[in-house]
Amino acid sequence: MLKVNKELQKLANINEDACEFYEEAQDKAEDPQLKTTFRNLESLHKAVVVNLQQHIRENGGEPDTDETMVGEAREFWGKLMASISNDVDETLVKHLEETEDRCLHKIEDIMENDEISVATKTVLQKEHAALQKSHDYMKALKEVMKAA
């Protein structure tokens, strides 16, 4: 259970990174509708974090809220790009879509582990559905912005 909790914690941390990036993106975005989208997706990732932390507790663990180093680097890069890009909104969407990729790949990696319990699989399947929708939305938004 310790190994599973460690992986769940990594997933929670990656989603915490996403929350922070979405929060920053709300401040940097120029389009008011995009700001609302970013706020909604930040809430989605916060809910994922809360649910994962609750499941870690149910597994007898204690959640850790440290940021991941990779997340800090991506957040820094996203801020930098948004500050120097001609199209701030498009740059933010591009980097947020990459963040969504990271969240989705991590949860899929954990779900492939045969050692996880049925209860953990159930939690992950629910969160995967939310993360897949968020990912697909950001990917579509990136494509629309790129085509415009």
Side-chain angles (χ1 to χ4, degrees):
M1 195 57 66
L2 184 61
K3 183 178 176 183
V4 170
N5 278 350
K6 191 173 184 175
E7 289 302 305
L8 292 175
Q9 185 58 58
K10 287 179 187 175
L11 178 59
N13 289 350
I14 290 168
N15 279 275
E16 286 172 342
D17 291 342
C19 289
E20 289 181 27
F21 196 179
Y22 275 113
E23 187 176 351
E24 284 289 324
Q26 289 169 52
D27 294 336
K28 298 253 187 226
E30 296 172 350
D31 182 319
Q33 188 174 1
L34 206 49
K35 288 178 182 274
T36 300
T37 296
F38 292 164
R39 188 171 23 263
N40 292 340
L41 293 174
E42 176 191 3
S43 294
L44 179 145
H45 284 277
K46 280 184 182 178
V48 170
V49 170
V50 167
N51 292 338
L52 290 171
Q53 289 176 336
Q54 177 61 35
H55 192 69
I56 290 168
R57 284 186 195 92
E58 290 170 3
N59 286 343
E62 188 59 38
D64 178 14
T65 57
D66 287 343
E67 263 187 86
T68 62
M69 291 300 290
V70 174
E72 289 177 35
R74 286 181 190 236
E75 181 181 348
F76 172 77
W77 179 249
K79 287 181 196 176
L80 177 66
M81 292 303 293
S83 68
I84 63 173
S85 174
N86 289 335
D87 189 338
V88 173
D89 289 347
E90 187 174 339
T91 302
L92 288 168
V93 167
K94 177 181 179 267
H95 288 283
L96 287 164
E97 194 265 337
E98 291 170 4
T99 299
E100 292 291 345
D101 280 345
R102 192 168 163 237
C103 293
L104 194 57
H105 291 139
K106 183 61 180 173
I107 198 168
E108 288 170 351
D109 288 347
I110 297 170
M111 290 173 71
E112 289 176 4
N113 184 341
D114 293 332
E115 297 175 19
I116 62 174
S117 68
V118 172
T120 298
K121 271 192 183 180
T122 301
V123 168
L124 290 174
Q125 287 169 340
K126 177 182 172 262
E127 300 309 328
H128 181 267
L131 292 175
Q132 184 72 56
K133 284 181 186 175
S134 180
H135 170 271
D136 292 350
Y137 182 83
M138 288 305 294
K139 184 175 181 177
L141 185 57
K142 181 180 92 172
E143 295 303 317
V144 167
M145 293 179 97
K146 191 188 298 185

